[in-house]
Amino acid sequence: MQTFIISKILLLLSLLMGIFLHAQVTVSGKVNFKGKGVKDISVTLKNTYDGATTDENGNFTFPTEEKGSQILVFSNAKFVEVEKPITIANENLSINSDLKEQISEIDAVVISAGSIEASDKKRATALLTPIDIYTTAGANGQISSALETLPGVQKIGETEGLFVRGGTGTETKFFMDGNLVNNFFGNSIPGIKSMDRLNTSLFKGNVFSSGGYSAAYGQALSSVLILESIDFPERNSVDLAISPLFINAGFQNVNEEKSKSFGISAGYSNLGLVTKLIKFNNDFTKAPESFGTNFNFRIKNKNGGILKYYGSFDTNKIGLQAESLEANIDFDNTNLKGKNTFHNLSFKQKFGQYLLNLGSSYTYNSSFIALSNTFENEEINPNTIDITGNYWNTKGTLERKINKISAVRAGIEYNQSNEKTDVSAAPTPSEFKDQITSLFAETDLGFSNNLSAKIGVRSEYSNAIDRWNLAPRFAMAYRISKTWTSSLAYGIFYQNPENKYFGSNPLNYQKAEHYVLQVQKSAEGRSFRLEAFYKNYEDLIKTKVLDYRPVAINNTGSGFAKGFEIFWRDKKSIKDIDYWISYSFLDSKRNFQNYDQSLFPSFAAKHTLSLVAKKFVTSWKTGFNLSYSYASGRPYYNFQTDGNGDYYLNKQGRLKDFSALNFSLNYLPNLGKKDSKSFTVLVLAVNNILGQKNIYGYNFSTDGLRSKPVLPSASTFIFVGAFINFGIDKTQDAIDGNL
């Protein structure tokens, strides 16, 4: 009896298992991408829990009890999702699928040859943010000085400007929210470098291109610095900065919706006290003094469009007396009075698939220099140079997205210059007027996440030159592996001769051709860049002396610059230390301006090295910052003029190597205090802490027989200051940014 019951149960179980097994169907197959199996692809029946993940070879298999019409889904974040309709009956199914790469703005390779970006954009490579600039020892919070720690930028101390890859300082142009910034630096006199006019805290990011830059920008033979201002302040705040050099104060007001804001600030600077505390290499008859004020507002409309305005006004004065190199003259006297006002307006609005950018900037600049000599306590040979300029820029760009990583843009730009120079020793004043109209178009082409290209063209017409130019641009990027990418850039770039060199002779555009090749590795906390470049110059101006000033007589000059650069930044290897190292090698020759032969430029060094390191010690509430700069000795030349005003090389030599170690520390007294009403930073900075005796060049007497070195204003400079913000607690930002 028991045997019979057991046999019945076994028979029932076998029947049930047969029915169950017959109800299940196995779905299997292989998933390929470009003919090869792909792992980790999710394969599921839509709206069910049935599915599997592909193995190393792209194979998958899973059982299902579902019947009838179903949809099989193949998905992975890196690929376009595929849906295949299938019919499940009683037989096993074999389904294969080929995938396409998912194009993503975040994953797509970025063209970076010749450029270093630092902004809040997802695609940017954040290398030098505003807080990086403030905490770079020796930079003194100046954008241009911090950029001198990057590859390709020369360490120049005797004059303002960014000297990039064998180019002069005037070959770099500056832009704010897409608009040209004329007179980016303050008014100055020869031998003393002026500072940036625009405050670093105005900007949320920047793109520095040392070559091969976008067709949306022009009139720069070497490089461009594109600054992007913040959209809205974080909240209402009041700022105060005090030091023995200056006092600044300002406020920002923003509504809760962050749709309207305005702010104003003012500052006064006077080095009179500091000249009594620190030994300067200059004898000031009037210590550098300046006053400046600025105003800004921002408005966002209901459709997300943003209107931004920034305006500033500043004045500065300086007086110097130096021992003369001329016979029967004891001293040379120089006095400067400068005035400047700058206004920048920009508007950005999306219209469906289109993005419209409109902007305009205006600059008025006045520089009045009084020159004289002193002999036996009497002033002789008075002369004045009065330069006034009005500069207008306006620009419109329309961009349309084609897909997630492709776009096309086109625009028009107009620049107007009106500059007058009155030299009292010259018979008549000189006046220069020019209007430059530019048209440009450019497309970003994303072929895949691993391959992209940028093709553009720019054309310009200048009234002063009376002809059009045509400048094609091309760049591409390819991802070699997960962390390694490569980029290539080529372009033709034109620039008018400087306004001061225009005379009665017809002139042409100066021309440079850029070739840039880069490989880059980016991993968490680390970045490595190796870049090689070649730059060919044509149609550079040649000058001679006419009516007491150098004037361009033709465009027969030429030259080249070639070399390679290495950049390494590491925030991970050494605990709590952020550091970067940059090295540049440059080989260059030029025959331009007053050069009578091809020479290595006097403003360039063959070897340049920078090391920057930062560490924040939370328990001490203090950030420690260190930087070291080295440059091999630059050449110097003395050119004399013959009876016809033509130049010839009279004497040449080589300066000693440049070297400077800079140190700064930042103390945050409010760190750790709950409900603090202010954010305070106390700063101590020492430039050239070891007191290296650096020389920037030599000045020569009129006959070239006597000379004296051009020295820094101070061999070692010490700064102490307090920066207080009421309303915003940026303590955590300070720690995160290694302040």
Side-chain angles (χ1 to χ4, degrees):
M1 184 69 178
Q2 285 182 339
T3 302
F4 177 77
I5 294 173
I6 292 172
S7 63
K8 290 286 186 181
I9 293 173
L10 290 175
L11 178 61
L12 179 61
L13 288 174
S14 65
L15 288 172
L16 291 173
M17 288 180 65
I19 294 172
F20 177 74
L21 290 174
H22 181 73
Q24 277 192 331
V25 171
T26 299
V27 180
S28 61
K30 186 173 184 178
V31 181
N32 297 303
F33 174 64
K34 294 183 177 180
K36 294 183 179 180
V38 189
K39 67 174 182 177
D40 296 330
I41 304 299
S42 175
V43 185
T44 60
L45 287 176
K46 194 171 185 178
N47 299 323
T48 76
Y49 294 103
D50 296 342
T53 302
T54 58
D55 61 17
E56 293 284 340
N57 300 314
N59 297 315
F60 69 92
T61 180
F62 63 89
T64 181
E65 297 180 32
E66 301 293 334
K67 298 292 183 180
S69 297
Q70 302 290 335
I71 295 178
L72 192 60
V73 181
F74 302 83
S75 62
N76 182 287
K78 295 182 179 180
F79 300 93
V80 176
E81 187 174 274
V82 174
E83 293 188 354
K84 283 196 170 187
I86 61 173
T87 300
I88 302 177
N90 297 321
E91 297 179 356
N92 295 336
L93 289 177
S94 179
I95 306 294
N96 298 327
S97 181
D98 291 315
L99 299 182
K100 293 182 179 180
E101 186 177 19
Q102 177 71 270
I103 304 298
S104 166
E105 185 175 7
I106 296 176
D107 295 331
V109 64
V110 178
I111 298 172
S112 55
S115 67
I116 292 178
E117 297 190 28
S119 74
D120 62 354
K121 297 178 181 177
K122 293 180 180 179
R123 298 179 66 189
T125 304
L127 292 177
L128 277 192
T129 61
I131 198 148
D132 284 328
I133 294 169
Y134 279 123
T135 57
T136 297
N140 303 320
Q142 301 288 291
I143 298 173
S144 61
S145 296
L147 290 176
E148 289 180 349
T149 68
L150 296 182
V153 185
Q154 296 288 318
K155 183 69 177 177
I156 304 295
E158 70 273 26
T159 186
E160 59 278 354
L162 281 179
F163 294 73
V164 180
R165 291 181 173 172
T168 68
T170 59
E171 291 179 20
T172 298
K173 290 296 176 68
F174 303 84
F175 298 85
M176 177 177 180
D177 294 330
N179 303 323
L180 179 65
V181 180
N182 285 287
N183 303 107
F184 181 83
F185 299 94
N187 293 313
S188 67
I189 57 178
I192 296 184
K193 183 176 182 177
S194 62
M195 301 180 71
D196 302 357
R197 275 199 167 99
L198 299 180
N199 193 315
T200 302
S201 61
L202 282 172
F203 306 103
K204 61 182 178 181
N206 62 77
V207 178
F208 172 59
S209 176
S210 53
Y213 58 86
S214 164
Y217 304 94
Q219 284 294 306
L221 285 181
S222 287
S223 63
V224 294
L225 177 63
I226 304 162
L227 301 166
E228 186 179 3
S229 68
I230 61 173
D231 291 334
F232 287 93
E234 298 176 47
R235 65 190 72 171
N236 296 340
S237 64
V238 175
D239 297 283
L240 180 65
I242 304 173
S243 85
L245 281 73
F246 60 77
I247 179 169
N248 292 321
F251 76 91
Q252 286 287 336
N253 179 276
V254 59
N255 63 356
E256 292 184 3
E257 297 80 12
K258 289 194 175 181
S259 60
K260 296 178 182 178
S261 74
F262 68 92
I264 189 171
S265 67
Y268 173 75
S269 174
N270 192 321
L271 265 66
L273 175 61
V274 179
T275 58
K276 301 181 186 304
L277 301 176
I278 298 175
K279 178 177 173 55
F280 278 76
N281 296 317
N282 305 112
D283 293 325
F284 292 107
T285 55
K286 169 61 181 175
E289 179 184 23
S290 66
F291 169 79
T293 182
N294 63 74
F295 173 76
N296 67 79
F297 68 78
R298 304 169 182 88
I299 300 173
K300 179 187 288 187
N301 62 32
K302 294 181 180 179
N303 297 318
I306 298 180
L307 178 69
K308 300 180 186 178
Y309 166 79
Y310 172 82
S312 66
F313 172 79
D314 66 75
T315 65
N316 70 307
K317 298 178 182 178
I318 184 174
L320 284 177
Q321 186 175 77
E323 291 187 9
S324 179
L325 295 170
E326 308 298 333
N328 299 321
I329 294 178
D330 297 327
F331 299 102
D332 298 323
N333 307 307
T334 307
N335 289 276
L336 166 72
K337 292 181 180 179
K339 295 179 182 179
N340 179 275
T341 183
F342 171 68
H343 303 272
N344 192 81
L345 186 68
S346 66
F347 175 73
K348 181 165 61 176
Q349 173 78 65
K350 281 187 177 181
F351 297 96
Q353 296 291 323
Y354 293 89
L355 175 64
L356 177 66
N357 279 283
L358 299 174
S360 186
S361 66
Y362 168 75
T363 302
Y364 169 80
N365 193 72
S366 171
S367 178
F368 183 84
I369 299 177
L371 304 170
S372 66
N373 306 119
T374 301
F375 180 61
E376 295 181 350
N377 295 322
E378 289 189 12
E379 188 175 9
I380 59 174
N381 304 325
N383 188 18
T384 60
I385 304 174
D386 187 5
I387 304 173
T388 57
N390 287 275
Y391 312 94
W392 179 275
N393 168 262
T394 185
K395 187 175 182 179
T397 306
L398 187 64
E399 178 177 331
R400 188 188 191 281
K401 279 276 190 180
I402 300 174
N403 55 39
K404 292 183 180 179
I405 60 173
S406 296
V408 60
R409 69 188 61 86
I412 184 170
E413 184 175 5
Y414 173 78
N415 290 287
Q416 179 178 296
S417 300
N418 189 339
E419 198 169 283
K420 184 178 180 180
T421 302
D422 188 356
V423 180
S424 61
T428 57
S430 64
E431 189 169 3
F432 174 79
K433 293 182 179 180
D434 190 20
Q435 299 176 53
I436 302 176
T437 302
S438 306
L439 305 172
F440 59 88
E442 188 174 68
T443 181
D444 298 328
L445 301 174
F447 302 104
S448 71
N449 286 338
N450 296 325
L451 179 64
S452 63
K454 185 189 293 285
I455 302 173
V457 64
R458 184 181 181 92
S459 184
E460 301 167 334
Y461 176 81
S462 166
N463 283 3
I465 294 176
D466 192 22
R467 67 179 66 183
W468 285 89
N469 63 41
L470 186 67
R473 315 275 171 87
F474 170 77
M476 65 176 297
Y478 176 71
R479 177 176 283 116
I480 302 171
S481 66
K482 184 177 180 180
T483 57
W484 284 93
T485 60
S486 62
S487 292
L488 173 70
Y490 166 80
I492 294 177
F493 303 86
Y494 291 99
Q495 184 172 348
N496 283 25
E498 290 179 61
N499 298 350
K500 65 181 180 181
Y501 291 124
F502 274 89
S504 59
N505 297 290
L507 297 176
N508 197 359
Y509 298 101
Q510 301 178 106
K511 178 183 176 182
E513 237 180 329
H514 294 194
Y515 302 84
V516 185
L517 176 63
Q518 178 205 96
V519 291
Q520 175 173 291
K521 182 179 182 180
S522 297
E524 185 180 355
R526 299 187 183 99
S527 178
F528 172 79
R529 296 162 56 96
L530 173 62
E531 194 158 285
F533 66 91
Y534 178 78
K535 183 163 50 174
N536 184 58
Y537 288 101
E538 296 178 12
D539 301 326
L540 300 180
I541 61 168
K542 297 288 293 180
T543 61
K544 68 183 299 181
V545 175
L546 296 171
D547 293 332
Y548 300 94
R549 71 182 184 97
V551 176
I553 55 174
N554 56 49
N555 286 83
T556 60
S558 60
F560 73 87
K562 60 183 179 181
F564 67 89
E565 301 159 357
I566 299 172
F567 182 85
W568 166 253
R569 184 168 188 177
D570 186 359
K571 299 181 179 181
K572 190 174 181 181
S573 298
I574 306 175
K575 185 179 180 181
D576 297 330
I577 290 182
D578 173 17
Y579 74 93
W580 68 79
I581 302 171
S582 71
Y583 168 76
S584 302
F585 169 77
L586 174 68
D587 182 21
S588 179
K589 279 193 175 181
R590 277 190 174 220
N591 185 351
F592 82 129
Q593 292 184 11
N594 63 342
Y595 285 26
D596 66 341
Q597 57 189 284
S598 291
L599 297 167
F600 194 92
S602 60
F603 46 80
K606 275 189 175 291
H607 306 279
T608 306
L609 174 71
S610 292
L611 169 64
V612 177
K614 308 176 183 185
K615 179 179 177 63
F616 191 89
V617 182
T618 306
S619 59
W620 294 357
K621 306 180 182 181
T622 305
F624 298 88
N625 312 302
L626 196 70
S627 73
Y628 172 74
S629 297
Y630 166 83
S632 58
R634 290 154 43 194
Y636 66 86
Y637 308 110
N638 171 236
F639 293 96
Q640 296 290 308
T641 55
D642 59 21
N644 297 319
D646 295 315
Y647 292 97
Y648 65 91
L649 181 60
N650 176 61
K651 186 178 181 180
Q652 62 179 309
R654 181 179 178 272
L655 302 173
K656 70 174 187 176
D657 294 354
F658 174 91
S659 178
L661 179 66
N662 309 303
F663 171 78
S664 70
L665 62 84
N666 310 278
Y667 175 64
L668 284 65
N670 297 340
L671 184 64
K673 293 182 179 179
K674 294 183 178 180
D675 302 322
S676 178
K677 301 298 182 182
S678 65
F679 172 76
T680 302
V681 182
L682 306 179
V683 178
L684 168 65
V686 184
N687 291 0
N688 192 20
I689 194 170
L690 299 180
Q692 294 286 335
K693 304 299 181 182
N694 293 309
I695 298 175
Y696 295 138
Y698 284 93
N699 289 326
F700 289 85
S701 60
T702 304
D703 57 15
L705 298 177
R706 294 168 297 281
S707 65
K708 63 179 179 180
V710 179
L711 303 173
S713 294
S715 297
T716 299
F717 187 79
I718 302 173
F719 172 82
V720 178
F723 300 85
I724 307 170
N725 184 287
F726 302 92
I728 301 178
D729 183 5
K730 294 184 179 179
T731 302
Q732 193 57 47
D733 291 344
I735 297 173
D736 295 341
N738 262 342
L739 183 64

